[in-house]
Each structure stands twice: as C-alpha cells, then as structure tokens.
Amino acid sequence: MHLLAIDWFFILEKLILIALVVTLSMIVAMYATYGERKVAAFMQDRIGPNRAGPFGLLQPLADGGKLFFKEEIIPLASSKFLFVLGPVLAMVTALLTSAVIPWGSPALIAGRTVPLQIADINIGILYVFGVVSLGVYGIMIGGWASNNKFSLLAGIRGASQMISYELAMGLSLIAVLMLTGSLQMSTIVQNQLDNGWNIVYQPLGFVIFFICALAECNRTPFDLPEAENELNFGYHQEYSSMKLGFYLFAEYINMFISGVIMSTLYFGGYDIPFVNEASWGISQNLLAFISFAVLMVKACFFVFVFMWIRWTIPRFRFDQLMHLGWKRLVPLALVNMIITALVVLWLQK
C-alpha cells in the first residue's frame, strides 16, 4: 500500500497566499471608501474626511467600528437563515474571484519557484464568470428574505441588470480568448508579454467590458439597485450592522477585483510597460514585488475611474439601462467577436 506524499510546503504556500489576497482585498475595500469620499469632496470643492487621524486616514477604521457595534436587527417576518445568507454570499463571491488572478511574476522562496497565483486552472475565465454569476443570488436572496416589497423590487432590478450585462461581458471576452487561444489567466498574461497588450487589439471589447463591469458592480450610472433617494435604499434596506457592512464591502471588493481583471485581460496584468525586466539584473523576488506593485497601480487607476464616473455622470432610468445592455452592447459585442474571428482565421492562413 503506497501512501501519497503530501507537499506541506505547497499547502502552506497556498494558505499564506490566500490569507494575503483576502487581507489585501479587505484593506483596499476599506480604503476605497475613504478614497471615494475624498474624490467626491475634491470634485465638489469640499475637504472630505479629515477628523479621524492625520488627513482622515483612520476614518475607515471608525466607520468599520461603528458598523461592528451597531445594533443587529433582523425583521421578525423575514426568513432569518436566508436573511443572513444574502450578505455572506455577496461577500464570499466577491473574494472568490481573486483565486485565479496572477498577482505578479513568480517569486523564489527556499529554492522553489512560487507563482503568485492561488489556482492556475485552465478554465480561469469560466471560473470568474461562474463565481460572478453567484453574486446575483446574494442580491436576490437579501431582497426577498427581508420580506419588504421595496427590497424585493430592488433585488429583482439588480438581478435582471447583472444577468443582462453578463451576456455582453461574456461576448466581449470571447474575442480575447480567440486571440490567446486559452482560458487560463496566466497564459493570457504571457501572451500579452510576448505579443503586446490586448487593449491594442481589442479596444472595442475593452470598452464593452468596462461598461459591463460598471453595471456588475452597481456603480453609477448603473446603481439603480441601490439608489437611496429615488428607490428607498434598495435591496439592503432592512439590513444593519455588519450584514449591511458585508454588502457595502462586497461592492468595493468587486470594484477592486474588476480593476485587477481588466488589467489582467487587456493591460498586460503585472507586465511593466515599455521596459525589458530581464535587462535589469535584479533578484527574482524584487522583480515579483515590482510586478505586483505595477498590477496594483493599474487596478487602483480603474478604481479611481469608477469613482470619477460616479461623481460626474447622472444615472440612467431602468428602461435606458436595459436598452443599452440588450440593444447596444450585445450587438456591438457580437460584431466585435465576428470581426476578431475573421481576422484570426485570415492570419492563420
């Protein structure tokens, strides 16, 4: 009887990487709320948070403490299990999408090459779409379990919006997959290292993907599921304390991960632009850290653009939102996919 040898170093490596990625996502989401308020203040000629700590840097900690210690209220007529499951599902699905992202070039630890990627599976993009589609249930379950008609209507609006824009997003990605010939995220990044960034070959696909990412994250001008003034606070109206905090955190984590995915698919991932890293003569670990920092800069830039759009563009009516998704973006994504297929076939001849 042969016993399977357990690679404890591999298990430890993955556990540490998971802990680091989850911690990073939480910290970025926490300070994205601070950044949102500062960007809004700048665009409205205000100061923004400036009381808690120097330059208001401790404001996210104060907000988190406030949510943590607020009274926990569960409506009597609600489905309690599903009421708790909704925000948990939204939070977990937001974090799970980070598992297949290459966060940097491989590092060298104890003589072993350690890829900065939790799971380099050969269906990386399909995994991302599968997990993202589960986020719909977090919104829908939360709205329905609250036993509130306004929450339910907002949940239906949110679910229909996410499903509609996932179609155009998927079609825009098919063109990228035609160029790379793989669903594996690391292969997509490597293809861009060898042949140039996909934004050069797929500008229309990126624009469609970016618009759909705004809708998937419920960001303005697609924030109808949680429009406070017009629609009575949306699907999380009945939530309080950390269950409300989970919904709000999930939105900012989704925004950050969307920025990372767009950087990975269209902007070379951790690739450092306009330089040949091999000629630097630096250690592999330092190069891994620099490449990770480059990916973070790209992702944070997209987070800033998301915030910029929120405080610039007014939101759509719901009929305009659905019209844009089904009658504009889906046909554009189909045209882009067909043109890409023809070009790829022509180049292969």
Side-chain angles (χ1 to χ4, degrees):
M1 181 178 181
H2 298 283
L3 294 176
L4 293 174
I6 299 176
D7 190 347
W8 292 108
F9 186 91
F10 177 80
I11 295 173
L12 182 63
E13 158 202 324
K14 294 303 179 185
L15 287 175
I16 292 173
L17 194 56
I18 290 170
L20 290 175
V21 169
V22 170
T23 303
L24 172 70
S25 300
M26 297 293 286
I27 292 174
V28 170
M30 187 168 63
Y31 275 92
T33 62
Y34 171 82
E36 178 106 66
R37 295 168 72 177
K38 280 293 188 182
V39 169
F42 175 77
M43 299 188 73
Q44 297 170 356
D45 197 21
R46 297 185 288 107
I47 297 175
N50 67 337
R51 299 288 182 181
F55 307 105
L57 287 172
L58 298 181
Q59 187 66 47
L61 298 177
D63 293 340
K66 180 188 73 173
L67 282 173
F68 189 82
F69 289 107
K70 283 185 75 172
E71 183 182 1
E72 192 82 27
I73 297 174
I74 299 179
L76 290 176
S78 69
S79 174
K80 292 180 175 57
F81 173 74
L82 294 178
F83 189 81
V84 175
L85 179 65
V88 170
L89 193 58
M91 189 72 169
V92 170
T93 53
L95 289 170
L96 282 176
T97 51
S98 62
V100 295
I101 295 170
W103 293 92
S105 59
L108 189 65
I109 301 175
R112 294 176 52 135
T113 299
V114 177
L116 300 184
Q117 187 175 8
I118 295 172
D120 189 15
I121 56 178
N122 58 3
I123 53 167
I125 291 295
L126 283 181
Y127 168 84
V128 170
F129 267 82
V131 172
V132 166
S133 64
L134 291 177
V136 175
Y137 294 101
I139 291 177
M140 196 64 218
I141 289 173
W144 181 83
S146 299
N147 197 33
N148 180 304
K149 294 181 178 61
F150 295 106
S151 298
L152 177 61
L153 287 172
I156 293 172
R157 275 194 300 268
S160 61
Q161 171 179 316
M162 293 177 75
I163 292 170
S164 301
Y165 281 81
E166 275 177 12
L167 178 60
M169 180 183 281
L171 290 173
S172 68
L173 269 182
I174 291 176
V176 172
L177 303 180
M178 288 177 180
L179 293 174
T180 58
S182 175
L183 296 168
Q184 202 165 356
M185 299 288 274
S186 59
T187 304
I188 293 172
V189 173
Q190 187 59 49
N191 183 75
Q192 293 178 85
L193 293 175
D194 298 334
N195 304 307
W197 293 359
N198 286 331
I199 184 64
V200 177
Y201 309 106
Q202 287 293 313
L204 177 59
F206 166 70
V207 170
I208 294 171
F209 189 95
F210 180 78
I211 294 172
C212 293
L214 285 172
E216 289 290 308
C217 296
N218 294 331
R219 299 291 298 183
T220 306
F222 305 99
D223 62 338
L224 283 165
E226 52 190 37
E228 291 90 348
N229 299 328
E230 300 90 327
L231 303 175
N232 202 25
F233 200 61
Y235 59 89
H236 44 52
Q237 177 181 351
E238 299 291 347
Y239 283 89
S240 61
S241 190
M242 280 309 294
K243 290 195 288 294
L244 174 61
F246 273 18
Y247 271 128
L248 301 180
F249 258 64
E251 177 183 324
Y252 282 98
I253 292 174
N254 279 327
M255 189 166 61
F256 168 61
I257 297 297
S258 294
V260 175
I261 290 175
M262 284 188 287
S263 303
T264 302
L265 294 177
Y266 292 98
F267 290 86
Y270 55 80
D271 181 37
I272 305 170
F274 313 118
V275 298
N276 180 14
E277 301 92 328
S279 64
W280 286 1
I282 60 177
S283 68
Q284 187 173 341
N285 290 340
L286 180 57
L287 182 59
F289 176 78
I290 294 173
S291 62
F292 166 73
V294 168
L295 178 62
M296 289 298 296
V297 169
K298 294 176 184 177
C300 290
F301 171 76
F302 282 116
V303 171
F304 167 72
V305 173
F306 277 30
M307 295 174 181
W308 187 5
I309 290 173
R310 175 175 182 177
W311 300 103
T312 305
I313 301 176
R315 68 172 58 94
F316 296 134
R317 294 195 316 265
F318 193 72
D319 62 312
Q320 294 172 327
L321 180 145
M322 299 303 284
H323 183 272
L324 174 66
W326 287 102
K327 295 188 177 180
R328 293 292 183 267
L329 294 185
V330 169
L332 273 176
L334 282 170
V335 169
N336 182 63
M337 182 182 70
I338 293 169
I339 292 173
T340 303
L342 294 174
V343 171
V344 170
L345 287 173
W346 180 74
L347 291 174
Q348 289 175 349
K349 288 183 179 180

